[in-house]
Amino acid sequence: MEIARTSVPATWRQAARAQIQAHPLTALGFGLALLGLVALFAQSLLQVLGSDARTVVGYALLGGLAGFAATALGALPALVLRSIPTRLEDSMLGMAAGMMLAASAFSLILPGLEAGAAILGSEPRGAAVVVLGMALGVLMMLGLDQFTPHEHLGAGPCGAGHERCGRVWLFVFAIALHNLPEGMAIGTSFARGDLSVGLPLTTAIALQDIPEGLAVAVSLRAAGFAAGPAVLVAIATGLLEPLGALLGLGLASGVPLAYPIGLGLAAGAMIFVVSHEVIPETHRNGHQTAATLGLMAGFAIMMTLDTTLG
């Protein structure tokens, strides 16, 4: 009994310390990423709050709210649907992954490369700035994945202190980790008030939030949650999108170089989520072909939206 009792960290601080000791390089990278994020956010806060930035803030907030509304719309059918065919669910998540990948490439990385090259007068230096932003985004998501308690659908609980969380909170944290970079991408895309960048990205994220919201709510029901709580939890996690949009806007505003760095950061975070969370989940049930076809369809839809709306 004593061994079983001491194998579980007694406090959040002990759990976090144990994770840091087990993964020192990840902890160091996460700390550096947080310092970079704080620096970017601090230098841009006054500008974002200024009167000349109200229109941009409004765009970012509306974009984030569109993502939240789409998540809520997608979750509502779970009130009457206890489950959907696994193949269909994997195809829907694959489509969402494809749209996120295309949005990262066409609406974040390419504008970031263009902006970086214009600011620094060199395409290689502009690319290096975007890569720096992508690295910050990956380090941020690695740290959040390692040091926050959450549950991977189908893979069980993980992260520091998960032993002290109820399962519903583990699901909430997991979905929050998924939605945060989407909101940050929306806010970053509106940092210059350029609708040709922000509109196609927001449209794509909102569209993929509909099947994603349904898949999340149905997964919660399959995990044993009642219909009402499952839908409410799925809807509540959509609130991370407007909050993330304001955060992304703050990170990408201010000094000119923050804009391509912020675009790269949002792209890196989204690509990490797709590779680390979404694609493994769609391949877990043996439906790789259906999921891949969904991914290709989602990528094509987003590419068309970017060309049409951009």
Side-chain angles (χ1 to χ4, degrees):
M1 289 297 294
E2 184 64 26
I3 294 176
R5 189 181 300 117
T6 56
S7 65
V8 177
T11 66
W12 288 101
R13 182 178 300 176
Q14 291 177 349
R17 186 183 298 118
Q19 287 289 81
I20 290 172
Q21 291 173 350
H23 307 278
L25 293 180
T26 302
L28 176 62
F30 185 42
L32 293 175
L34 287 180
L35 287 176
L37 294 175
V38 170
L40 286 173
F41 190 76
Q43 59 83 33
S44 63
L45 184 60
L46 291 178
Q47 176 171 336
V48 171
L49 295 178
S51 59
D52 58 338
R54 289 177 182 172
T55 300
V56 177
V57 173
Y59 285 155
L61 187 58
L62 286 175
L65 288 173
F68 166 70
T71 301
L73 180 63
L76 288 177
L79 288 172
V80 295
L81 291 176
R82 180 175 294 274
S83 64
I84 57 177
T86 306
R87 182 182 295 272
L88 176 60
E89 181 179 356
D90 289 339
S91 299
M92 291 164 53
L93 288 176
M95 180 176 291
M99 298 186 78
M100 290 174 70
L101 286 176
S104 298
F106 296 112
S107 296
L108 294 173
I109 293 177
L110 290 182
L113 292 173
E114 182 179 350
I119 293 169
L120 297 175
S122 167
E123 291 185 354
R125 286 198 291 268
V129 166
V130 175
V131 170
L132 172 63
M134 293 178 67
L136 287 174
V138 171
L139 288 173
M140 179 188 72
M141 295 308 299
L142 269 174
L144 291 175
D145 182 71
Q146 192 68 56
F147 301 118
T148 59
H150 58 284
E151 178 157 342
H152 293 297
L153 295 179
C158 54
H162 65 77
E163 304 91 345
R164 303 176 63 84
C165 280
R167 198 172 186 208
V168 64
W169 290 110
L170 293 174
F171 273 109
V172 169
F173 289 144
I175 302 164
L177 291 180
H178 187 107
N179 285 343
L180 181 62
E182 294 181 5
M184 291 177 62
I186 291 174
T188 303
S189 68
F190 283 116
R192 288 190 172 181
D194 189 350
L195 293 181
S196 66
V197 176
L199 187 58
L201 177 68
T202 301
T203 302
I205 289 179
L207 286 176
Q208 64 93 24
D209 275 336
I210 296 175
E212 189 177 275
L214 175 60
V216 167
V218 169
S219 296
L220 288 170
R221 291 207 64 182
F225 293 95
V231 171
L232 287 177
V233 168
I235 291 175
T237 57
L239 290 172
L240 267 292
E241 299 220 9
L243 294 177
L246 294 178
L247 176 60
L249 176 64
L251 294 175
S253 302
V255 298
L257 206 57
Y259 179 63
I261 292 176
L263 290 174
L265 187 151
M270 286 181 62
I271 294 171
F272 178 91
V273 167
V274 169
S275 178
H276 192 68
E277 300 277 352
V278 183
I279 291 178
E281 175 63 21
T282 62
H283 288 205
R284 184 172 59 86
N285 300 305
H287 301 143
Q288 294 91 331
T289 300
T292 301
L293 291 176
L295 186 147
M296 297 302 298
F299 194 97
I301 291 171
M302 175 54 203
M303 182 175 63
T304 304
L305 285 173
D306 186 82
T307 303
T308 304
L309 300 178

